[in-house]
Amino acid sequence: MAPDLLRKRWGVAFLASAPLTLSTAVPAWAQGLSTVHLGGIAPMAVAIGAGGFAILAVTVVRTMLKDGRAVKRHANEQIAGLRALVDDYENLIAGNRELTIVWSQEAGIAPRLLGQPGAVLPVGRPLEAALEFHAWLNDADATRLARLVEDLRVRGETFTARLETSDGRLVQANGWITGGGAALRLRPEPQGAERVRPDADADSLRAVLQAQTSPAFLRDDKDRLVYANDAYLALTAALGKAGSETQPAELLDAAALQPHFEHCRASNGPVTLPLDLGPKGAFELVEFPVSGGRAGYLRAPLMAPSLAPVETGLTHIAGIIAALATPLAIFNARRELVQFNQAYAALWNFPSGFLTPGLDERAVLDKLRTEGMLPNQVDYHTWRARHLESYTRKAPFESEPWHLPDGRTIKVISAPASPEGGVIYVFEDLTERLELESANKAMSNVQRETINALSEAVAVFGTNGRLTLCNPRLSALWKVPMNALGSSPHIDQIAEASGRAIPQDGASIWRDLKRGIIDLNPTRTDQAGRIDRSDGRLLDYAITRLPDGQTMMTFLDVTESASYSKVLKERNDALVAADRLKDAFVENVSYELRSPLTNIIGFADLLAAAEGEGLNERQRAYIDYIRASSVTLGVLIDNILDLASVDAGIAELNPEPLDVTTLIDKARAGIAATFPAGSGEPPNLVVEVEPDLPVFIADGTRLVQVLYNLLSNAARFSPPGGEIRLSVRHRAERMLFVIEDEGPGLTDEMKSAILTRLDSPHPGRQRGAGLGLSIVRTFVNLHGGTISAEPREPRGSRIVVNLPRDSALAGVAE
């Protein structure tokens, strides 16, 4: 204020001095002109103007100093008044039986303590001891209060708490936020008659009882009434029983009280007796021992919180509220709790005893905020004030859902409680419903995405015949736009649209399908069939009745698959016919070939037996070739018949104990017949049989064929006179036949022949043995054995036949 005033004063001084200087200088200038003394007059004018300005400036400064002293004096008076007001407030607080602690926001400033230390602290404790909570509270409440104070100062969470001191007194603690910090008020609760110490003196007892608002009295050790407070005397007077403070009247006659007296004498604690005082209502008489007798008082019967007395006008709904499963609370116009049910207490998990009639709703909200059970708010006080506006509303109001930190969502509805004021709060936990809606929505989305991804066309019709669900495939299959299907059309409308897209039979097909959709017969069954449309499309359809009464229809375009099925069926029929022809050919050819072959072999043997009867050496060589070729042809025919029997599934083994040497001799004889002496240098067959072989059980005929085919194949691939080695040995329960030759080695065709029924032909001596290797593989598998082939170094091949020692036990048949 002083700087502004200074600037103002200096501005005025400047404006005032300027005209004065000019007015002084102008006459002098005019006079100088007249006397023509310009050189001497000018300095005089300047001096006069400066002097005038100085005088004016001094005047302004003095005025400013005077105003500044007045402002300072006024400020000092205001400060003194404020200090006096603060002192009055502090004296007022100090005069009450309470203790207030004020913390400042500025660091380093000690908290201020106002009030009477004796209000909450034990006798003789200094005022500063109130900051040591553990020094005057029990351990649990001291820890609790320290935590509440910390939350108050750090996070601004107000609270209301009920504490118990170390000497058993009750203290009401209230914490709130002030403009410059936080404050804590500690106020002792009025002590009821039930808290009178048994060893208290008579005067103390009478003082305590007289302070009670409920009827209270005192008995001596003879069970006689010796004192009653005003409330008790008023009650007896209303009942027509006269009495005085020192000689009060009994509420019941002696006979009715006698059992109660006996119970009191036998008990060391409080004893309760129900009383029915007629028009005054029902009470409970509570008596407890004190020094020299007993003290007692009357209280209303203890009821559940949900059945506690309520404001006038709400009594008729008390029973209804208690029975409701919906959380509900009623506050009067003073924001005091007057009615609630157990569902409300369970919703917020209030501790037992917290919800009591008369509890302020702000204390309830602060409690919930302290426990972290209110929606997170940046400005809690503004949110609370907006919530408490429900007391001013004249109609029911539903606020925005409360999204609690624990994940729950609560809907809050407020309504006027009565014409006198107050609010009824109805709470609904929406968490489960929202979760179900979310899950249902997610499931619907998944189902819709799944349906949209199907290759089938899906259509769901309601009981009214309208389309309720479909996928894009339905639009593509019936050539109906999706925007038309999205408006829930009736099935008749779909038929019309299909008729326009498929004029020949679109509408008629849907009219036929309509019968299965609108059929409300409860015994109807699902339908399925195939539609052959005029445009050449084949559609498989199915009509399924859903549990909710709707009908689902699916369409699958099987045009291409039906064509494929037709082609595959035709090819399969052709293969079956070819297989039958093959079987007939093999059977007929084998029979037809064997008869002339027998004649050829017989005549060749007859010619060979004729010695020197007109046959030269060349002719005899031709006869040997005929005989060898006939033997080979006979083996081929036998192989063909064997393979045919295996394919037909009628091939069987005849396992018996065998002599390995005999098997080899029979196979050697076959080789000798195949390669007669005149046909060139025969192969050099070397046989090695491991001594002391175990008993070998197998089908001898099949094994001779196996060995013959392997040896003949090795002879054909070996050079003339090449060595073919046959080794027989056993390993555990297996018999190994190893054939080694000196031929050109295994080719890819030969490896394939061992595993398939192919044996590639080769020119000259290396032509294949027909089905030799295939029959080998077949018979080895029938015995439960395996066959493998590998090259030899530097040339040749090795074939290993691995057979079980007892084929009868193996029981394997391919």
Side-chain angles (χ1 to χ4, degrees):
M1 180 176 180
D4 294 338
L5 182 60
L6 183 61
R7 288 194 296 269
K8 182 176 179 181
R9 295 297 185 184
W10 276 112
V12 173
F14 176 77
L15 294 175
S17 61
L20 179 61
T21 303
L22 292 174
S23 63
T24 305
V26 169
W29 177 68
Q31 183 180 1
L33 290 177
S34 63
T35 58
V36 199
H37 293 294
L38 298 174
I41 295 175
M44 183 180 296
V46 171
I48 294 173
F53 177 80
I55 295 172
L56 183 60
V58 170
T59 304
V60 171
V61 169
R62 293 185 62 184
T63 304
M64 290 177 59
L65 291 176
K66 181 180 179 181
D67 293 341
R69 286 192 296 269
V71 171
K72 183 177 180 180
R73 184 169 57 255
H74 181 68
N76 291 334
E77 291 176 356
Q78 287 183 333
I79 292 174
L82 291 175
R83 287 179 176 174
L85 185 61
V86 170
D87 291 338
D88 292 339
Y89 284 151
E90 290 183 355
N91 293 333
L92 180 62
I93 295 175
N96 293 329
R97 286 191 54 79
E98 63 183 36
L99 182 61
T100 303
I101 305 173
V102 181
W103 287 272
S104 175
Q105 290 182 343
E106 299 180 8
I109 299 180
R112 299 181 59 192
L113 291 92
L114 306 173
Q116 302 178 8
V120 294
L121 300 179
V123 179
R125 299 289 179 89
L127 189 61
E128 292 75 12
L131 298 174
E132 300 293 335
F133 300 148
H134 287 277
W136 56 278
L137 290 174
N138 59 46
D139 292 339
D141 284 346
T143 303
R144 176 187 172 201
L145 181 59
R147 178 177 59 81
L148 293 174
V149 170
E150 180 181 0
D151 294 341
L152 173 67
R153 299 184 61 188
V154 175
R155 293 188 287 271
E157 297 179 357
T158 61
F159 65 88
T160 299
R162 192 183 188 193
L163 310 173
E164 184 174 4
T165 63
S166 55
D167 56 0
R169 292 177 295 117
L170 296 178
V171 176
Q172 185 76 21
N174 296 283
W176 70 95
I177 299 298
T178 64
L184 170 65
R185 181 175 63 198
L186 302 171
R187 176 182 296 173
E189 289 189 358
Q191 303 297 301
E194 65 273 23
R195 302 192 59 84
V196 175
R197 296 192 306 274
D199 57 349
D201 56 31
D203 293 338
S204 299
L205 290 174
R206 286 182 173 85
V208 170
L209 296 178
Q210 183 60 37
Q212 301 304 306
T213 57
S214 60
F217 56 86
L218 187 65
R219 294 184 187 274
D220 60 13
D221 55 359
K222 302 296 185 180
D223 298 330
R224 295 174 298 190
L225 289 175
V226 296
Y227 174 78
N229 65 358
D230 294 341
Y232 185 92
L233 296 176
L235 178 61
T236 55
L239 296 175
K241 297 182 180 182
S244 63
E245 179 178 330
T246 57
Q247 293 182 345
E250 293 283 1
L251 294 174
L252 300 177
D253 55 28
L257 289 174
Q258 189 60 35
H260 172 67
F261 292 158
E262 294 177 356
H263 191 188
C264 291
R265 286 192 290 268
S267 174
N268 293 325
V271 177
T272 302
L273 175 66
L275 294 180
D276 185 2
L277 299 182
K280 293 300 180 181
F283 293 87
E284 288 183 344
L285 175 64
V286 181
E287 293 194 29
F288 48 91
V290 296
S291 178
R294 296 191 308 276
Y297 64 97
L298 271 70
R299 69 182 181 190
L302 184 62
M303 295 180 291
S306 59
L307 298 178
V310 297
E311 294 286 309
T312 304
L314 300 177
T315 307
H316 63 285
I317 64 172
I320 300 176
I321 294 175
L324 289 176
T326 301
L328 188 145
I330 302 177
F331 294 84
N332 61 19
R334 298 184 299 275
R335 301 174 183 171
E336 296 174 345
L337 180 66
V338 296
Q339 180 74 19
F340 68 95
N341 57 8
Q342 291 299 332
Y344 174 76
L347 175 67
W348 301 111
N349 196 23
F350 285 121
S352 177
F354 174 76
L355 293 176
T356 57
L359 181 64
D360 195 290
E361 186 185 2
R362 289 168 293 189
V364 175
L365 296 175
D366 293 344
K367 171 70 173 177
L368 294 176
R369 180 171 182 254
T370 302
E371 299 295 334
M373 299 184 69
L374 285 182
N376 294 323
Q377 300 291 334
V378 177
D379 189 349
Y380 164 71
H381 293 284
T382 301
W383 176 88
R384 188 182 70 175
R386 188 166 57 251
H387 169 75
L388 295 177
E389 290 176 359
S390 56
Y391 287 90
T392 63
R393 297 190 181 99
K394 303 302 181 182
F397 176 78
E398 179 178 341
S399 63
E400 295 182 358
W402 291 5
H403 300 285
L404 306 185
D406 59 5
R408 293 184 298 166
T409 300
I410 306 298
K411 181 173 73 173
V412 183
I413 300 175
S414 59
S418 65
E420 292 78 13
V423 178
I424 299 177
Y425 289 108
V426 179
F427 301 85
E428 181 181 358
D429 191 345
L430 303 178
T431 309
E432 184 176 355
R433 191 180 79 182
L434 292 178
E435 289 177 353
L436 290 176
E437 291 178 354
S438 177
N440 183 59
K441 183 177 180 181
M443 183 178 296
S444 299
N445 292 335
V446 171
Q447 290 177 346
R448 182 171 295 276
E449 293 297 329
T450 302
I451 291 175
N452 290 342
L454 291 176
S455 60
E456 295 178 298
V458 178
V460 178
F461 292 89
T463 54
N464 58 358
R466 290 192 171 274
L467 184 68
T468 60
L469 178 66
C470 68
N471 62 350
R473 184 61 179 159
L474 181 69
S475 172
L477 202 59
W478 289 99
K479 304 176 183 180
V480 178
M482 276 300 295
N483 56 358
L485 296 177
S487 59
S488 300
H490 192 271
I491 188 172
D492 292 335
Q493 296 174 297
I494 298 178
E496 294 176 2
S498 298
R500 290 191 295 269
I502 310 172
Q504 292 81 1
D505 54 0
S508 61
I509 292 175
W510 277 98
R511 283 194 294 269
D512 294 337
L513 295 174
K514 177 182 177 181
R515 300 187 182 94
I517 294 176
I518 64 175
D519 185 6
L520 300 180
N521 187 355
T523 61
R524 70 171 184 175
T525 58
D526 298 341
Q527 302 178 20
R530 174 167 292 182
I531 299 173
D532 188 358
R533 270 190 349 202
S534 59
D535 57 358
R537 311 301 295 182
L538 293 177
L539 305 180
D540 282 349
Y541 74 91
I543 300 177
T544 305
R545 186 177 184 182
L546 301 179
D548 58 356
Q550 299 188 97
T551 303
M552 181 177 68
M553 181 179 296
T554 59
F555 301 91
L556 179 62
D557 189 349
V558 295
T559 306
E560 295 182 0
S561 60
S563 301
Y564 294 151
S565 298
K566 182 178 180 181
V567 172
L568 291 176
K569 185 176 183 304
E570 292 175 354
R571 291 185 178 181
N572 183 67
D573 294 341
L575 291 175
V576 171
D579 189 63
R580 291 175 180 173
L581 290 175
K582 185 252 315 178
D583 293 340
F585 171 78
V586 170
E587 182 179 355
N588 294 330
V589 168
S590 300
Y591 175 78
E592 297 296 335
L593 289 178
R594 188 176 295 277
S595 296
L597 181 60
T598 302
N599 295 332
I600 295 173
I601 294 174
F603 285 114
D605 290 340
L606 181 60
L607 291 174
E611 298 180 0
E613 296 181 359
L615 295 177
N616 55 31
E617 292 299 326
R618 188 171 185 178
Q619 291 174 335
R620 290 185 177 278
Y622 289 159
I623 291 176
D624 291 337
Y625 280 124
I626 293 173
R627 295 174 64 191
S629 298
S630 300
V631 171
T632 302
L633 183 58
V635 172
L636 289 175
I637 293 173
D638 291 338
N639 289 343
I640 291 174
L641 293 176
D642 290 335
L643 288 176
S645 63
V646 170
D647 289 342
I650 59 176
E652 295 182 357
L653 294 180
N654 184 22
E656 58 183 349
L658 301 176
D659 181 30
V660 174
T661 304
T662 303
L663 294 176
I664 295 174
D665 291 341
K666 291 181 179 180
R668 189 198 300 267
I671 295 298
T674 304
F675 297 93
S679 61
E681 186 177 359
N684 180 18
L685 179 59
V686 179
V687 178
E688 294 180 355
V689 180
E690 184 181 89
D692 300 328
L693 290 174
V695 177
F696 181 42
I697 300 176
D699 189 327
T701 303
R702 306 299 189 188
L703 286 186
V704 169
Q705 289 180 267
V706 169
L707 294 177
Y708 168 76
N709 280 290
L710 291 176
L711 291 175
S712 63
N713 190 73
R716 283 182 170 83
F717 281 87
S718 296
E723 181 181 276
I724 299 175
R725 183 176 298 274
L726 172 60
S727 303
V728 183
R729 53 183 178 270
H730 81 284
R731 294 289 185 271
E733 293 298 315
R734 310 291 292 185
M735 295 291 292
L736 302 180
F737 294 83
V738 182
I739 295 92
E740 300 173 315
D741 60 53
E742 297 178 346
L746 291 172
T747 63
D748 292 338
E749 290 80 6
M750 288 192 62
K751 292 180 181 178
S752 178
I754 294 176
L755 300 176
T756 63
R757 294 185 178 179
L758 297 176
D759 193 3
S760 300
H762 297 275
R765 290 175 57 86
Q766 294 184 356
R767 72 178 182 274
L771 301 176
L773 292 181
S774 296
I775 200 67
V776 167
R777 183 188 66 85
T778 301
F779 288 158
V780 169
N781 289 344
L782 283 174
H783 280 82
T786 60
I787 183 171
S788 61
E790 58 186 21
R792 290 180 62 197
E793 294 297 338
R795 58 177 297 163
S797 61
R798 177 185 294 109
I799 297 178
V800 180
V801 177
N802 188 332
L803 298 173
R805 188 185 62 79
D806 188 350
S807 298
L809 296 178
V812 179
E814 188 173 276

